[in-house]
Amino acid sequence: SGLHVGIGYQLIWLLFGRLSRKKAGMLFFTLLVLSILWGYALITGLSPSVTRAATMFTFIQLAQASSRRTNIYNTLAASALLLLLFNPQLIFKVGFQLSYLAVLAIVYLYPKINPLVNSRYKLINYAWSLTAVSIAAQVGTAPLSIFYFNQFPVYFSLSNLIVIPLAPVLIGTGIFTIFTSYFFNLAIGGTVLNFLIVWMNKSLQFVGHLPLSNINGMFLCHNRLVVLYLFVFFLLALFYSRKKYFLWLSFSCVFIFYTLTIVHYHNTSVKTLTIYDSKEVVIDLFDNHHLSHYCASEKCNHNFQTEGNRNFLRAGQPEKLISRSTKGLYLINYESLLIGIIDKSIANYDIQNIPFDILVVRNNTILEWSSINAKKIIIDKSNTGYFSFPDDFKTSQKIHLMHKKGAFSLKL
């Protein structure tokens, strides 16, 4: 992550910082810093957080090499602009958005939050400084995280109290193990590193299994996301300026937010059928927030796709749909709706007289297409790319190809 890039940058300064005292040494030191930073970025796959951090530290190092002052906001903006010039599509990446929002929030809010606690004990001050970083980052990223992932981690500060102090230890131990492996037994450093990683993972698992560790089932539409960020902005402005009109603006945001929530709940009180873009058959039937669910595998019950759609439609606990099967044909009856699922080739006379509302075709099933009596035919992702059917069916409105069109949704 970007944290690791920052730790690496500090380690370079600690080990080779003396080179920067002379003009010739500064040039060599700058080349060394940039080589290590971008070498690390390339090795780790140029993720948004790493490229953002590497670009920022590149600007900082170049400014120091030319004896110029740096402004963190300008550096942050310049790094974002440079990355977007190379790849404009990055702005739509979740990692890019979260990374820059987190850094911007930390840079602005941390200096204001950290002084709120000042103890004579260094350990308490250190723990609070880590907590302040976590709070600042969450203020900036929580609305967007809820928008994308429909959940909120309650114990985020506790997790960061474990991860952030361990990160430099893990990196330092790893580097020490690599450079001393020629002289010492590699197993010693590897054993220590493995112990620290296992302990960290188990600690995070413990935090994750605490009661109410995650608030799930949260949903934000685009409008409410904007309103929530405006609320955060006005609340911060109220805290620092103490002007009353920011209080009224904050209350206005709360009123608009709940109004949009009620409107959304009313608009999603509809009958809808969804067949998800999956290699397994996963079907949800929504009826005024009541959910009926069919899935061929129990693993499909709580995947990312279904959770997002169910949160959007404010669905309750799913009620399992029962299917009847015979000779590779599965039938689902829901009120007046008849859904068929064909999982392997069967004799045509078994289905030609069945009036399907929806027929899901799987696993390259060979059929007599012209005799199929179905209002809609879904070709799901269990079929391979070379699966063929008549040319006149390819452009037919009856056919829904998941490989091209994704999930199928229908208002009933």
Side-chain angles (χ1 to χ4, degrees):
S1 68
L3 173 66
H4 300 140
V5 177
I7 294 169
Y9 184 74
Q10 289 179 335
L11 284 174
I12 297 168
W13 265 98
L14 183 66
L15 296 173
F16 306 104
R18 290 184 180 181
L19 294 173
S20 63
R21 294 177 182 176
K22 296 182 179 180
K23 191 174 182 180
M26 174 58 85
L27 177 61
F28 175 78
F29 178 72
T30 300
L31 292 173
L32 179 67
V33 169
L34 299 186
S35 300
I36 294 174
L37 286 181
W38 287 104
Y40 174 80
L42 286 168
I43 290 170
T44 55
L46 292 173
S47 66
S49 59
V50 172
T51 50
R52 182 260 309 155
T55 308
M56 281 183 60
F57 285 118
T58 297
F59 279 113
I60 291 171
Q61 184 56 40
L62 291 174
Q64 289 180 341
S66 58
S67 301
R68 293 184 178 182
R69 283 186 174 185
T70 58
N71 180 289
I72 188 62
Y73 296 106
N74 291 341
T75 305
L76 192 64
S79 66
L81 178 62
L82 184 63
L83 292 175
L84 290 173
L85 285 173
F86 279 100
N87 184 7
Q89 294 298 319
L90 275 177
I91 199 168
F92 301 109
K93 300 288 185 181
V94 181
F96 182 87
Q97 296 170 12
L98 289 174
S99 177
Y100 274 91
L101 277 174
V103 175
L104 185 62
I106 290 170
V107 167
Y108 179 73
L109 291 176
Y110 174 75
K112 297 172 173 60
I113 297 173
N114 192 48
L116 296 177
V117 173
N118 188 14
S119 173
R120 59 178 179 174
Y121 299 106
K122 291 183 178 180
L123 184 61
I124 293 175
N125 287 332
Y126 177 67
W128 172 248
S129 68
L130 296 181
T131 304
V133 171
S134 302
I135 293 171
Q138 282 297 327
V139 169
T141 60
L144 198 64
S145 296
I146 295 169
F147 175 76
Y148 281 117
F149 306 114
N150 308 124
Q151 60 180 359
F152 178 77
V154 177
Y155 305 125
F156 61 87
S157 59
L158 185 57
S159 300
N160 285 336
L161 283 174
I162 299 169
V163 174
I164 295 177
L166 269 179
V169 177
L170 289 172
I171 293 172
T173 306
I175 293 172
F176 177 80
T177 302
I178 292 170
F179 284 101
T180 59
S181 59
Y182 183 80
F183 305 101
F184 303 101
N185 188 354
L186 183 63
I188 297 173
T191 302
V192 174
L193 194 61
N194 181 69
F195 171 79
L196 291 173
I197 292 171
V198 169
W199 184 85
M200 181 182 71
N201 289 339
K202 286 186 175 179
S203 300
L204 292 176
Q205 286 176 358
F206 172 77
V207 173
H209 287 92
L210 290 174
L212 300 175
S213 60
N214 271 321
I215 301 175
N216 296 306
M218 304 176 76
F219 175 80
L220 285 178
C221 59
H222 293 85
N223 294 335
R224 285 189 289 171
L225 176 66
V226 172
V227 171
L228 191 55
Y229 268 116
L230 286 174
F231 172 74
V232 171
F233 174 78
F234 291 140
L235 207 61
L236 291 173
L238 173 66
F239 182 76
Y240 293 115
S241 69
R242 307 292 181 178
K243 293 181 179 178
K244 285 187 178 180
Y245 61 84
F246 284 121
L247 177 63
W248 293 113
L249 287 171
S250 301
F251 279 129
S252 299
C253 287
V254 172
F255 175 76
I256 294 169
F257 184 87
Y258 279 103
T259 302
L260 290 172
T261 302
I262 293 167
V263 170
H264 173 75
Y265 188 85
H266 176 75
N267 289 341
T268 54
S269 299
V270 293
K271 280 189 177 183
T272 306
L273 174 140
T274 303
I275 302 177
Y276 293 97
D277 185 6
S278 171
K279 288 188 176 181
E280 295 286 344
V281 181
V282 187
I283 302 173
D284 278 349
L285 283 153
F286 301 92
D287 186 357
N288 294 329
H289 309 294
H290 176 265
L291 170 62
S292 299
H293 173 71
Y294 173 83
C295 182
S297 170
E298 290 299 324
K299 294 180 181 179
C300 304
N301 284 337
H302 300 289
N303 66 24
F304 183 77
Q305 250 191 345
T306 57
E307 287 299 315
N309 193 45
R310 290 173 184 178
N311 289 331
F312 173 75
L313 293 171
R314 312 305 299 169
Q317 288 299 314
E319 178 183 318
K320 195 171 182 179
L321 286 169
I322 307 299
S323 64
R324 296 178 286 119
S325 63
T326 174
K327 297 181 181 179
L329 173 65
Y330 300 84
L331 296 174
I332 302 170
N333 288 100
Y334 181 79
E335 296 179 354
S336 61
L337 192 71
L338 178 61
I339 304 170
I341 302 166
I342 300 180
D343 210 9
K344 63 181 180 180
S345 299
I346 59 176
N348 191 55
Y349 60 79
D350 287 332
I351 64 168
Q352 63 182 357
N353 294 320
I354 303 175
F356 296 106
D357 291 292
I358 296 171
L359 180 64
V360 182
V361 181
R362 293 176 47 76
N363 295 323
N364 296 349
T365 302
I366 300 172
L367 296 169
E368 187 66 39
W369 296 97
S370 59
S371 62
I372 293 175
N373 183 11
K375 294 178 183 177
K376 198 76 178 180
I377 301 173
I378 312 296
I379 311 296
D380 77 357
K381 280 197 170 178
S382 66
N383 299 283
T384 55
Y386 56 81
F387 178 58
S388 62
F389 46 90
D391 290 336
D392 57 333
F393 270 77
K394 291 181 181 180
T395 57
S396 172
Q397 295 298 318
K398 289 177 63 175
I399 297 290
H400 181 93
L401 288 168
M402 281 194 174
H403 281 285
K404 291 185 177 179
K405 298 180 180 178
F408 174 74
S409 184
L410 176 69
K411 286 188 176 181
L412 303 176

